[in-house]
Amino acid sequence: MFPETNGRTGRWVKWVRRQLLGCLLLALPVVDAIGQDVIDPEARTVVQASGFLDMYYGFDFNQPASNTRPDFLFNHHRHNKIHANLALLQLHLDQDRYRANLGVMGGTYAQRNLAHEPKLLRHVYAANMGVALNQRSSLWLDVGVMPSHIGFESAISADNPTLTRSLAAENSPYYLAGARLSWDASPNWQFAALVVSGWQRIRPATGNSLPGVGTQVTYTLDARFSLNWSTFIGTDDPDRNRRLRIFNNWYGTFQATDRLSLFAGFDMGMQQTAKGSSAYDVWFTPVVIARYRFADKWHLALRGEYYADPDGVIVAPETGQGFSVVGLSANIDYAAFRHMLCRMEARWLGSNDAVLPRREAMARDSMAVIGSIAVRF
């Protein structure tokens, strides 16, 4: 059923096997109920199957020769072709004292964003289990592959205020693998601590034996106001030239009026210039999004953002001059039906350096239009 493996890769693949098989075993008693909720009144157990499909067409007016938009974009990045950005099937199990999630995926997001993972793992969206550590079920330990604790945007486009992801989201982890301890301290405060295999990695970087750690603090005043601070400390290098990476993500979501929502985020990271060095390379990115409901089924969103990575830690253009890009976008959404969302976005990116593909060369700016139809089921 699975290919034979050995060494460090083998250990991690076997670990993922155990998570996948465990989730499947938990689901076996209710496999005949796929597509609907199953509720046991005594145990208060819910098992649910769900799916998501995001089909899109994008046209980049630079018309890149590879039909692929810039390397630092991982979602909706194909030019002049109809593609599935994300096709996702998930199985969820929830009970007062334990839970599990299994998700498998396909699409251009999976092909591009997990290209560095072993082939077996490139279609794993989630494979995790959790157990409550106290009677109130406010303290949980989850292990496996899970969504990242960083940022307010996810791989599921319909959950985000804009169709395409911000530069901040595209260049920070979408997923992590390891263990997460989370605590709902009160209705207003939530805390989490993580030990993970690395910076957006299921399998650790080749030659790296140092796990990464992360934290998360969330304050939620009510449904209209929340603040979040997430961190990552670790490395993406092998042990022989290990450089420490420290990353902070701050964001807030605000419901200014019944029709207007605001999202603001700021990321700052720093990485040692060399192993053991006291000098650090720094990158940062702010993003602001306003989303306005102007009719029952219609939304408009505007985004402004900037990504500065002068030393090329995360994004390293061939120019060798570092990376600095500003972005503006306008988004219109139409919720045609309860489980369907139609979206259209125009996005402009600009830079002082020629870092954006244009036909056979590079350019200082680009303009693209992307349309999407997303369905939940």
Short mmCIF file of all heavy atoms in Angstrom, two decimals, residues 14-69:
data_model
loop_
_atom_site.label_atom_id
_atom_site.label_comp_id
_atom_site.label_asym_id
_atom_site.label_seq_id
_atom_site.Cartn_x
_atom_site.Cartn_y
_atom_site.Cartn_z
N LYS A 14 6.40 7.11 8.20
CA LYS A 14 5.70 6.17 9.08
C LYS A 14 4.84 6.92 10.10
O LYS A 14 3.72 6.49 10.41
CB LYS A 14 6.72 5.28 9.79
CG LYS A 14 7.41 4.29 8.85
CD LYS A 14 8.46 3.48 9.61
CE LYS A 14 9.20 2.52 8.66
NZ LYS A 14 10.27 1.78 9.37
N TRP A 15 5.36 8.04 10.61
CA TRP A 15 4.59 8.84 11.56
C TRP A 15 3.31 9.35 10.93
O TRP A 15 2.23 9.28 11.51
CB TRP A 15 5.44 10.01 12.05
CG TRP A 15 4.71 10.95 12.97
CD1 TRP A 15 4.49 10.81 14.30
CD2 TRP A 15 4.12 12.19 12.60
NE1 TRP A 15 3.79 11.88 14.79
CE2 TRP A 15 3.55 12.74 13.78
CE3 TRP A 15 4.01 12.90 11.40
CZ2 TRP A 15 2.89 13.96 13.77
CZ3 TRP A 15 3.35 14.11 11.40
CH2 TRP A 15 2.80 14.63 12.57
N VAL A 16 3.40 9.85 9.69
CA VAL A 16 2.21 10.34 9.00
C VAL A 16 1.26 9.19 8.71
O VAL A 16 0.04 9.33 8.80
CB VAL A 16 2.62 11.07 7.70
CG1 VAL A 16 1.38 11.41 6.87
CG2 VAL A 16 3.39 12.33 8.02
N ARG A 17 1.80 8.00 8.36
CA ARG A 17 0.94 6.83 8.15
C ARG A 17 0.07 6.58 9.38
O ARG A 17 -1.13 6.31 9.28
CB ARG A 17 1.79 5.58 7.90
CG ARG A 17 2.46 5.51 6.55
CD ARG A 17 3.19 4.19 6.47
NE ARG A 17 4.18 4.19 5.44
CZ ARG A 17 5.07 3.21 5.25
NH1 ARG A 17 5.05 2.15 6.04
NH2 ARG A 17 5.95 3.28 4.28
N ARG A 18 0.71 6.63 10.55
CA ARG A 18 -0.03 6.35 11.78
C ARG A 18 -1.16 7.36 11.98
O ARG A 18 -2.25 7.00 12.42
CB ARG A 18 0.91 6.35 12.99
CG ARG A 18 1.87 5.16 13.01
CD ARG A 18 2.49 5.01 14.38
NE ARG A 18 3.36 6.12 14.73
CZ ARG A 18 4.65 6.17 14.45
NH1 ARG A 18 5.23 5.18 13.80
NH2 ARG A 18 5.38 7.22 14.80
N GLN A 19 -0.91 8.68 11.67
CA GLN A 19 -1.95 9.68 11.83
C GLN A 19 -3.11 9.39 10.87
O GLN A 19 -4.28 9.44 11.26
CB GLN A 19 -1.40 11.10 11.57
CG GLN A 19 -0.11 11.44 12.27
CD GLN A 19 -0.12 11.08 13.73
OE1 GLN A 19 -1.08 11.39 14.44
NE2 GLN A 19 0.93 10.42 14.20
N LEU A 20 -2.79 9.10 9.62
CA LEU A 20 -3.82 8.84 8.62
C LEU A 20 -4.65 7.60 8.99
O LEU A 20 -5.88 7.62 8.96
CB LEU A 20 -3.19 8.67 7.24
CG LEU A 20 -2.58 9.92 6.61
CD1 LEU A 20 -1.77 9.53 5.38
CD2 LEU A 20 -3.65 10.93 6.25
N LEU A 21 -3.95 6.53 9.34
CA LEU A 21 -4.65 5.29 9.66
C LEU A 21 -5.49 5.45 10.93
O LEU A 21 -6.59 4.91 11.03
CB LEU A 21 -3.64 4.15 9.83
CG LEU A 21 -2.94 3.71 8.53
CD1 LEU A 21 -1.85 2.69 8.83
CD2 LEU A 21 -3.95 3.14 7.54
N GLY A 22 -4.96 6.21 11.89
CA GLY A 22 -5.73 6.43 13.11
C GLY A 22 -7.02 7.18 12.84
O GLY A 22 -8.08 6.83 13.36
N CYS A 23 -6.94 8.22 12.00
CA CYS A 23 -8.15 8.95 11.65
C CYS A 23 -9.15 8.06 10.93
O CYS A 23 -10.35 8.12 11.17
CB CYS A 23 -7.80 10.15 10.77
SG CYS A 23 -6.92 11.47 11.64
N LEU A 24 -8.65 7.21 10.04
CA LEU A 24 -9.54 6.31 9.31
C LEU A 24 -10.21 5.32 10.24
O LEU A 24 -11.40 5.02 10.12
CB LEU A 24 -8.75 5.57 8.22
CG LEU A 24 -8.31 6.43 7.03
CD1 LEU A 24 -7.37 5.64 6.13
CD2 LEU A 24 -9.52 6.91 6.25
N LEU A 25 -9.46 4.79 11.22
CA LEU A 25 -10.04 3.84 12.16
C LEU A 25 -11.13 4.49 12.99
O LEU A 25 -12.17 3.88 13.27
CB LEU A 25 -8.94 3.27 13.07
CG LEU A 25 -7.97 2.29 12.39
CD1 LEU A 25 -6.82 1.94 13.33
CD2 LEU A 25 -8.70 1.01 11.96
N LEU A 26 -10.90 5.75 13.38
CA LEU A 26 -11.93 6.44 14.13
C LEU A 26 -13.20 6.65 13.30
O LEU A 26 -14.30 6.69 13.85
CB LEU A 26 -11.40 7.82 14.58
CG LEU A 26 -10.40 7.80 15.73
CD1 LEU A 26 -9.81 9.19 15.91
CD2 LEU A 26 -11.05 7.34 17.02
N ALA A 27 -13.02 6.74 11.99
CA ALA A 27 -14.17 7.01 11.13
C ALA A 27 -14.92 5.76 10.72
O ALA A 27 -16.06 5.84 10.24
CB ALA A 27 -13.72 7.76 9.87
N LEU A 28 -14.33 4.57 10.86
CA LEU A 28 -14.96 3.35 10.36
C LEU A 28 -16.37 3.11 10.89
O LEU A 28 -17.26 2.69 10.14
CB LEU A 28 -14.07 2.14 10.68
CG LEU A 28 -12.83 1.98 9.77
CD1 LEU A 28 -11.99 0.82 10.27
CD2 LEU A 28 -13.26 1.77 8.33
N PRO A 29 -16.66 3.35 12.18
CA PRO A 29 -18.02 3.07 12.66
C PRO A 29 -19.11 3.89 11.98
O PRO A 29 -20.28 3.56 12.07
CB PRO A 29 -17.93 3.40 14.16
CG PRO A 29 -16.48 3.31 14.48
CD PRO A 29 -15.76 3.75 13.26
N VAL A 30 -18.71 5.00 11.33
CA VAL A 30 -19.73 5.86 10.72
C VAL A 30 -19.52 6.03 9.24
O VAL A 30 -20.01 6.96 8.63
CB VAL A 30 -19.72 7.24 11.41
CG1 VAL A 30 -20.17 7.12 12.85
CG2 VAL A 30 -18.33 7.86 11.34
N VAL A 31 -18.76 5.13 8.62
CA VAL A 31 -18.45 5.30 7.21
C VAL A 31 -19.69 5.27 6.34
O VAL A 31 -19.73 5.85 5.27
CB VAL A 31 -17.45 4.21 6.77
CG1 VAL A 31 -18.12 2.85 6.71
CG2 VAL A 31 -16.82 4.57 5.42
N ASP A 32 -20.76 4.61 6.81
CA ASP A 32 -21.97 4.55 6.00
C ASP A 32 -22.78 5.84 6.11
O ASP A 32 -23.82 5.98 5.47
CB ASP A 32 -22.84 3.37 6.41
CG ASP A 32 -23.28 3.44 7.87
OD1 ASP A 32 -22.65 4.22 8.61
OD2 ASP A 32 -24.22 2.73 8.23
N ALA A 33 -22.30 6.79 6.93
CA ALA A 33 -23.05 8.03 7.09
C ALA A 33 -22.36 9.21 6.43
O ALA A 33 -22.67 10.35 6.72
CB ALA A 33 -23.23 8.34 8.59
N ILE A 34 -21.41 8.94 5.51
CA ILE A 34 -20.71 10.01 4.83
C ILE A 34 -21.73 10.94 4.15
O ILE A 34 -22.66 10.50 3.50
CB ILE A 34 -19.75 9.44 3.79
CG1 ILE A 34 -18.66 8.62 4.47
CG2 ILE A 34 -19.12 10.53 2.95
CD1 ILE A 34 -17.81 9.42 5.40
N GLY A 35 -21.50 12.24 4.30
CA GLY A 35 -22.38 13.21 3.66
C GLY A 35 -23.41 13.78 4.61
O GLY A 35 -24.13 14.70 4.27
N GLN A 36 -23.50 13.26 5.84
CA GLN A 36 -24.44 13.81 6.79
C GLN A 36 -23.85 13.72 8.19
O GLN A 36 -22.92 12.99 8.45
CB GLN A 36 -25.77 13.05 6.74
CG GLN A 36 -25.63 11.56 7.05
CD GLN A 36 -26.94 10.84 6.98
OE1 GLN A 36 -27.98 11.43 7.17
NE2 GLN A 36 -26.90 9.55 6.70
N ASP A 37 -24.38 14.53 9.10
CA ASP A 37 -23.93 14.49 10.49
C ASP A 37 -24.52 13.27 11.18
O ASP A 37 -25.66 12.88 10.95
CB ASP A 37 -24.39 15.73 11.24
CG ASP A 37 -23.68 16.96 10.75
OD1 ASP A 37 -22.77 16.80 9.93
OD2 ASP A 37 -24.05 18.07 11.18
N VAL A 38 -23.70 12.65 12.07
CA VAL A 38 -24.17 11.53 12.88
C VAL A 38 -24.00 11.92 14.33
O VAL A 38 -22.89 12.25 14.75
CB VAL A 38 -23.35 10.25 12.57
CG1 VAL A 38 -23.84 9.11 13.45
CG2 VAL A 38 -23.48 9.89 11.11
N ILE A 39 -25.07 11.91 15.10
CA ILE A 39 -25.02 12.39 16.48
C ILE A 39 -25.43 11.28 17.43
O ILE A 39 -26.49 10.69 17.27
CB ILE A 39 -25.92 13.62 16.67
CG1 ILE A 39 -25.49 14.73 15.69
CG2 ILE A 39 -25.89 14.10 18.10
CD1 ILE A 39 -26.36 15.96 15.77
N ASP A 40 -24.56 10.99 18.36
CA ASP A 40 -24.85 10.04 19.43
C ASP A 40 -25.24 10.86 20.65
O ASP A 40 -24.39 11.51 21.26
CB ASP A 40 -23.62 9.19 19.71
CG ASP A 40 -23.86 8.17 20.82
OD1 ASP A 40 -24.86 8.33 21.56
OD2 ASP A 40 -23.04 7.24 20.95
N PRO A 41 -26.51 10.89 21.08
CA PRO A 41 -26.94 11.76 22.17
C PRO A 41 -26.18 11.50 23.46
O PRO A 41 -25.96 12.42 24.24
CB PRO A 41 -28.43 11.43 22.33
CG PRO A 41 -28.83 10.85 21.00
CD PRO A 41 -27.62 10.11 20.51
N GLU A 42 -25.80 10.25 23.72
CA GLU A 42 -25.12 9.96 24.98
C GLU A 42 -23.67 10.43 24.96
O GLU A 42 -23.19 11.04 25.91
CB GLU A 42 -25.21 8.46 25.27
CG GLU A 42 -26.63 7.96 25.51
CD GLU A 42 -26.65 6.49 25.88
OE1 GLU A 42 -25.55 5.88 25.94
OE2 GLU A 42 -27.75 5.96 26.12
N ALA A 43 -22.97 10.12 23.88
CA ALA A 43 -21.55 10.48 23.82
C ALA A 43 -21.33 11.86 23.21
O ALA A 43 -20.22 12.37 23.22
CB ALA A 43 -20.78 9.44 22.99
N ARG A 44 -22.39 12.47 22.64
CA ARG A 44 -22.29 13.75 21.98
C ARG A 44 -21.16 13.75 20.96
O ARG A 44 -20.30 14.61 20.94
CB ARG A 44 -22.11 14.87 22.99
CG ARG A 44 -23.38 15.16 23.79
CD ARG A 44 -23.19 16.26 24.79
NE ARG A 44 -22.34 15.84 25.89
CZ ARG A 44 -22.05 16.60 26.95
NH1 ARG A 44 -22.54 17.81 27.03
NH2 ARG A 44 -21.28 16.15 27.91
N THR A 45 -21.17 12.75 20.10
CA THR A 45 -20.16 12.59 19.07
C THR A 45 -20.74 13.00 17.71
O THR A 45 -21.85 12.61 17.37
CB THR A 45 -19.67 11.13 18.99
OG1 THR A 45 -19.12 10.77 20.25
CG2 THR A 45 -18.62 10.96 17.90
N VAL A 46 -20.01 13.79 16.97
CA VAL A 46 -20.44 14.24 15.65
C VAL A 46 -19.37 13.86 14.64
O VAL A 46 -18.18 14.15 14.83
CB VAL A 46 -20.66 15.77 15.62
CG1 VAL A 46 -21.05 16.22 14.21
CG2 VAL A 46 -21.75 16.16 16.62
N VAL A 47 -19.79 13.21 13.57
CA VAL A 47 -18.91 12.89 12.46
C VAL A 47 -19.48 13.54 11.21
O VAL A 47 -20.67 13.40 10.94
CB VAL A 47 -18.76 11.37 12.25
CG1 VAL A 47 -17.87 11.07 11.05
CG2 VAL A 47 -18.19 10.73 13.51
N GLN A 48 -18.65 14.24 10.49
CA GLN A 48 -19.14 14.97 9.34
C GLN A 48 -18.15 14.87 8.19
O GLN A 48 -16.92 14.96 8.40
CB GLN A 48 -19.35 16.44 9.70
CG GLN A 48 -19.94 17.28 8.57
CD GLN A 48 -20.10 18.73 8.96
OE1 GLN A 48 -19.18 19.32 9.52
NE2 GLN A 48 -21.26 19.31 8.69
N ALA A 49 -18.66 14.69 6.99
CA ALA A 49 -17.85 14.73 5.78
C ALA A 49 -18.16 16.04 5.06
O ALA A 49 -19.30 16.50 5.05
CB ALA A 49 -18.15 13.55 4.87
N SER A 50 -17.15 16.65 4.47
CA SER A 50 -17.35 17.91 3.78
C SER A 50 -16.38 18.01 2.61
O SER A 50 -15.40 17.24 2.51
CB SER A 50 -17.15 19.10 4.72
OG SER A 50 -15.80 19.14 5.19
N GLY A 51 -16.65 18.95 1.74
CA GLY A 51 -15.77 19.16 0.60
C GLY A 51 -15.75 20.61 0.18
O GLY A 51 -16.63 21.40 0.55
N PHE A 52 -14.74 20.96 -0.60
CA PHE A 52 -14.60 22.33 -1.11
C PHE A 52 -13.92 22.26 -2.46
O PHE A 52 -12.95 21.51 -2.65
CB PHE A 52 -13.76 23.17 -0.15
CG PHE A 52 -13.53 24.58 -0.63
CD1 PHE A 52 -14.54 25.53 -0.55
CD2 PHE A 52 -12.30 24.96 -1.16
CE1 PHE A 52 -14.33 26.83 -1.00
CE2 PHE A 52 -12.08 26.25 -1.61
CZ PHE A 52 -13.10 27.18 -1.52
N LEU A 53 -14.44 23.02 -3.42
CA LEU A 53 -13.86 23.08 -4.76
C LEU A 53 -13.80 24.53 -5.22
O LEU A 53 -14.81 25.23 -5.20
CB LEU A 53 -14.68 22.24 -5.74
CG LEU A 53 -14.22 22.27 -7.21
CD1 LEU A 53 -12.82 21.68 -7.34
CD2 LEU A 53 -15.21 21.52 -8.09
N ASP A 54 -12.61 24.96 -5.62
CA ASP A 54 -12.38 26.33 -6.09
C ASP A 54 -11.81 26.26 -7.51
O ASP A 54 -10.64 25.92 -7.70
CB ASP A 54 -11.42 27.04 -5.13
CG ASP A 54 -11.07 28.46 -5.58
OD1 ASP A 54 -11.67 28.93 -6.55
OD2 ASP A 54 -10.18 29.06 -4.95
N MET A 55 -12.64 26.58 -8.50
CA MET A 55 -12.21 26.62 -9.90
C MET A 55 -11.93 28.07 -10.28
O MET A 55 -12.68 28.98 -9.90
CB MET A 55 -13.29 26.04 -10.82
CG MET A 55 -13.65 24.60 -10.54
SD MET A 55 -12.30 23.43 -10.86
CE MET A 55 -11.99 23.73 -12.61
N TYR A 56 -10.87 28.31 -11.06
CA TYR A 56 -10.51 29.69 -11.38
C TYR A 56 -9.93 29.82 -12.78
O TYR A 56 -9.45 28.85 -13.39
CB TYR A 56 -9.51 30.24 -10.37
CG TYR A 56 -8.09 29.71 -10.52
CD1 TYR A 56 -7.11 30.46 -11.18
CD2 TYR A 56 -7.72 28.47 -10.01
CE1 TYR A 56 -5.81 29.98 -11.33
CE2 TYR A 56 -6.43 27.98 -10.15
CZ TYR A 56 -5.48 28.75 -10.81
OH TYR A 56 -4.20 28.26 -10.96
N TYR A 57 -9.99 31.04 -13.27
CA TYR A 57 -9.30 31.43 -14.50
C TYR A 57 -8.59 32.75 -14.21
O TYR A 57 -9.20 33.69 -13.68
CB TYR A 57 -10.27 31.61 -15.66
CG TYR A 57 -9.63 32.23 -16.88
CD1 TYR A 57 -8.89 31.44 -17.77
CD2 TYR A 57 -9.73 33.60 -17.14
CE1 TYR A 57 -8.28 32.00 -18.88
CE2 TYR A 57 -9.13 34.16 -18.25
CZ TYR A 57 -8.40 33.37 -19.13
OH TYR A 57 -7.79 33.93 -20.22
N GLY A 58 -7.31 32.82 -14.54
CA GLY A 58 -6.55 34.04 -14.33
C GLY A 58 -5.88 34.50 -15.61
O GLY A 58 -5.40 33.67 -16.41
N PHE A 59 -5.84 35.81 -15.81
CA PHE A 59 -5.14 36.37 -16.96
C PHE A 59 -4.18 37.44 -16.48
O PHE A 59 -4.59 38.45 -15.88
CB PHE A 59 -6.11 36.97 -17.98
CG PHE A 59 -5.43 37.39 -19.26
CD1 PHE A 59 -5.24 36.47 -20.29
CD2 PHE A 59 -4.95 38.68 -19.41
CE1 PHE A 59 -4.60 36.85 -21.47
CE2 PHE A 59 -4.31 39.06 -20.58
CZ PHE A 59 -4.12 38.14 -21.61
N ASP A 60 -2.88 37.19 -16.69
CA ASP A 60 -1.83 38.14 -16.34
C ASP A 60 -1.47 38.92 -17.60
O ASP A 60 -1.05 38.33 -18.60
CB ASP A 60 -0.61 37.38 -15.80
CG ASP A 60 0.45 38.29 -15.21
OD1 ASP A 60 0.64 39.41 -15.73
OD2 ASP A 60 1.11 37.89 -14.23
N PHE A 61 -1.63 40.25 -17.56
CA PHE A 61 -1.40 41.05 -18.76
C PHE A 61 0.08 41.10 -19.15
O PHE A 61 0.40 41.53 -20.26
CB PHE A 61 -1.95 42.46 -18.54
CG PHE A 61 -3.46 42.50 -18.52
CD1 PHE A 61 -4.14 42.37 -17.32
CD2 PHE A 61 -4.18 42.63 -19.69
CE1 PHE A 61 -5.53 42.37 -17.29
CE2 PHE A 61 -5.57 42.64 -19.67
CZ PHE A 61 -6.25 42.51 -18.48
N ASN A 62 0.97 40.63 -18.27
CA ASN A 62 2.38 40.46 -18.66
C ASN A 62 2.58 39.22 -19.53
O ASN A 62 3.64 39.06 -20.13
CB ASN A 62 3.27 40.35 -17.42
CG ASN A 62 3.55 41.70 -16.79
OD1 ASN A 62 3.10 42.73 -17.28
ND2 ASN A 62 4.30 41.71 -15.70
N GLN A 63 1.60 38.34 -19.53
CA GLN A 63 1.63 37.11 -20.33
C GLN A 63 2.97 36.36 -20.18
O GLN A 63 3.73 36.22 -21.13
CB GLN A 63 1.36 37.42 -21.80
CG GLN A 63 0.00 38.05 -22.04
CD GLN A 63 -0.32 38.24 -23.49
OE1 GLN A 63 -0.23 37.29 -24.28
NE2 GLN A 63 -0.70 39.45 -23.86
N PRO A 64 3.28 35.90 -18.96
CA PRO A 64 4.54 35.18 -18.74
C PRO A 64 4.67 33.96 -19.63
O PRO A 64 3.69 33.24 -19.86
CB PRO A 64 4.48 34.80 -17.26
CG PRO A 64 3.03 34.84 -16.91
CD PRO A 64 2.43 35.92 -17.75
N ALA A 65 5.87 33.72 -20.15
CA ALA A 65 6.09 32.63 -21.10
C ALA A 65 5.76 31.27 -20.51
O ALA A 65 5.32 30.36 -21.22
CB ALA A 65 7.54 32.67 -21.58
N SER A 66 5.95 31.11 -19.20
CA SER A 66 5.69 29.82 -18.56
C SER A 66 4.23 29.60 -18.20
O SER A 66 3.87 28.56 -17.67
CB SER A 66 6.53 29.70 -17.29
OG SER A 66 6.12 30.68 -16.34
N ASN A 67 3.39 30.63 -18.48
CA ASN A 67 1.98 30.59 -18.07
C ASN A 67 1.83 30.46 -16.56
O ASN A 67 0.82 29.95 -16.06
CB ASN A 67 1.21 29.47 -18.77
CG ASN A 67 0.96 29.77 -20.24
OD1 ASN A 67 0.81 30.94 -20.60
ND2 ASN A 67 0.95 28.75 -21.07
N THR A 68 2.84 30.92 -15.85
CA THR A 68 2.83 30.86 -14.39
C THR A 68 3.16 32.23 -13.84
O THR A 68 4.11 32.88 -14.28
CB THR A 68 3.87 29.84 -13.88
OG1 THR A 68 3.58 28.56 -14.43
CG2 THR A 68 3.82 29.75 -12.37
N ARG A 69 2.38 32.69 -12.88
CA ARG A 69 2.61 33.99 -12.26
C ARG A 69 3.82 33.92 -11.32
O ARG A 69 4.40 32.86 -11.15
CB ARG A 69 1.33 34.44 -11.56
CG ARG A 69 0.13 34.50 -12.52
CD ARG A 69 -1.03 35.24 -11.94
NE ARG A 69 -0.66 36.62 -11.68
CZ ARG A 69 -1.05 37.29 -10.60
NH1 ARG A 69 -1.80 36.70 -9.67
NH2 ARG A 69 -0.69 38.54 -10.43
#
